[in-house]
Amino acid sequence: MKKFFIYLFGMIIFFSCQDEEILNPSFSDETSLELELTQSIAYIDGVRTTVYSEKPSGKFMVLNGDDYVDLSTFYDNEQLVYYINGELKDFLIFTSKDKMKSFIENPVQYSELLDRIKALDPLMIKEVDKGATADASGPSFTIATAHSLGGYTFTKSFSYLYVNPHLRCNQYETNCINFNDEISSFKVTNAYIEFYPGSFSNTGGLVFADARGTTIQANYLHEWNDVITSFWATSSSEEDVPSIALNIWSDYLYNCPHDYSDPACGSGGGGGPGPGNGGIQ
């Protein structure tokens, strides 16, 4: 009988410990870990906003009640525009391209916004460097697969307009390197450039960099890291450049092979150097 009570007491202790372990687990459960967030300041439609950058994706989150939600979800808008020019150290965010233009093309409103940034956040997000002068040789750009122009790069000089409707579909232009969903930084000189998350025939957000008369180097693209599929660059300020770009490449775009492998690069995506001034730097 004594042995029975000892056994029963031992079982009670054992199951008590098991219950405690279930209620207070000492092991690490990855699915229950909170997001690793870094707090910073962004300007959204000209309003100073506290944002939280999710690691490692770089996506911007905002605090909505007791929960963190993606910036585009908070605004119920998948067409957020990231804008930078030669006077800015980092991107301004707008909820539409029309909203961006209403700020940028209004000298008084834009000047007031710059004054607020200089007064409140003069060193806001320092990952982007601004070049001092423009390259006298003309408009050009560089795209890179790693931050700060690291990894594989492709540099192109052009006279008026450069168009790449699908980075994977048009690998021959980029020396048979697949930059689709791989761009992590860029530099543009004496031109402006628009990057899209899909083909620019589709709707969606974009990155707009105006470097006419200067050089802009964006070393970190936040949530635009590794999501860019197409872009165009121009030295002009014509409003119809996007439609011109689309018309130039419409036949190639719609006849792109289903597997998106440029025939000039072979089925494996490898091959010789591309035409023009492009090249792996």
Side-chain angles (χ1 to χ4, degrees):
M1 182 64 70
K2 183 178 180 180
K3 290 183 178 179
F4 173 76
F5 282 113
I6 293 175
Y7 172 77
L8 182 60
F9 181 70
M11 292 300 293
I12 292 173
I13 293 177
F14 173 77
F15 283 111
S16 297
C17 291
Q18 289 293 92
D19 290 341
E20 184 177 356
E21 184 174 339
I22 293 172
L23 295 175
N24 302 289
S26 59
F27 55 88
S28 175
D29 182 359
E30 292 184 0
T31 61
S32 65
L33 294 179
E34 294 183 0
L35 295 175
E36 185 179 356
L37 302 174
T38 302
Q39 182 175 324
S40 59
I41 295 295
Y43 284 80
I44 305 172
D45 288 344
V47 178
R48 189 175 188 265
T49 306
T50 300
V51 295
Y52 302 85
S53 182
E54 178 187 355
K55 294 182 179 181
S57 70
K59 286 188 175 182
F60 280 139
M61 317 284 286
V62 292
L63 188 59
N64 184 26
D66 296 328
D67 194 15
Y68 294 96
V69 297
D70 185 88
L71 199 61
S72 58
T73 301
F74 179 79
Y75 285 99
D76 192 24
N77 186 350
E78 297 294 334
Q79 300 187 16
L80 297 179
V81 176
Y82 284 61
Y83 172 88
I84 187 172
N85 66 19
E87 296 181 278
L88 300 169
K89 289 187 176 182
D90 198 11
F91 298 100
L92 303 178
I93 303 173
F94 296 94
T95 52
S96 70
K97 190 172 181 178
D98 288 340
K99 182 73 73 171
M100 176 197 79
K101 292 174 66 176
S102 71
F103 268 85
I104 304 308
E105 296 179 0
N106 184 323
V108 174
Q109 193 172 29
Y110 177 68
S111 178
E112 291 176 350
L113 176 58
L114 277 188
D115 288 342
R116 286 203 304 274
I117 295 174
K118 292 175 183 177
L120 298 174
D121 304 286
L123 300 178
M124 180 185 63
I125 311 179
K126 296 177 286 188
E127 287 86 354
V128 177
D129 300 324
K130 183 182 70 173
T133 58
D135 187 343
S137 62
S140 65
F141 65 82
T142 297
I143 54 176
T145 59
H147 302 316
S148 303
L149 301 185
Y152 288 110
T153 65
F154 171 73
T155 298
K156 184 78 173 182
S157 298
F158 60 97
S159 57
Y160 161 65
L161 179 65
Y162 172 88
V163 181
N164 197 316
H166 198 299
L167 283 158
R168 186 175 178 187
C169 186
N170 192 25
Q171 291 181 59
Y172 186 59
E173 174 63 25
T174 55
N175 284 347
C176 298
I177 300 297
N178 181 13
F179 283 91
N180 184 48
D181 294 341
E182 295 290 343
I183 296 177
S184 296
S185 58
F186 68 83
K187 181 171 73 172
V188 57
T189 294
N190 207 24
Y192 68 80
I193 192 166
E194 287 195 8
F195 294 96
Y196 301 86
S199 170
F200 46 63
S201 60
N202 301 321
T203 59
L206 58 92
V207 173
F208 187 101
D210 187 350
R212 287 173 294 176
T214 189
T215 294
I216 296 172
Q217 181 170 318
N219 291 327
Y220 184 64
L221 302 186
H222 305 295
E223 61 184 72
W224 278 86
N225 183 58
D226 293 343
V227 298
I228 292 169
T229 290
S230 63
F231 70 99
W232 55 265
T234 182
S235 58
S236 172
S237 59
E238 296 180 24
E239 290 293 323
D240 57 351
V241 165
S243 60
I244 293 174
L246 181 59
N247 290 332
I248 289 174
W249 284 96
S250 60
D251 290 339
Y252 185 89
L253 179 65
Y254 293 115
N255 290 313
C256 180
H258 179 69
D259 63 0
Y260 299 107
S261 179
D262 195 317
C265 291
S267 60
N277 295 324
I280 299 300
Q281 304 298 311

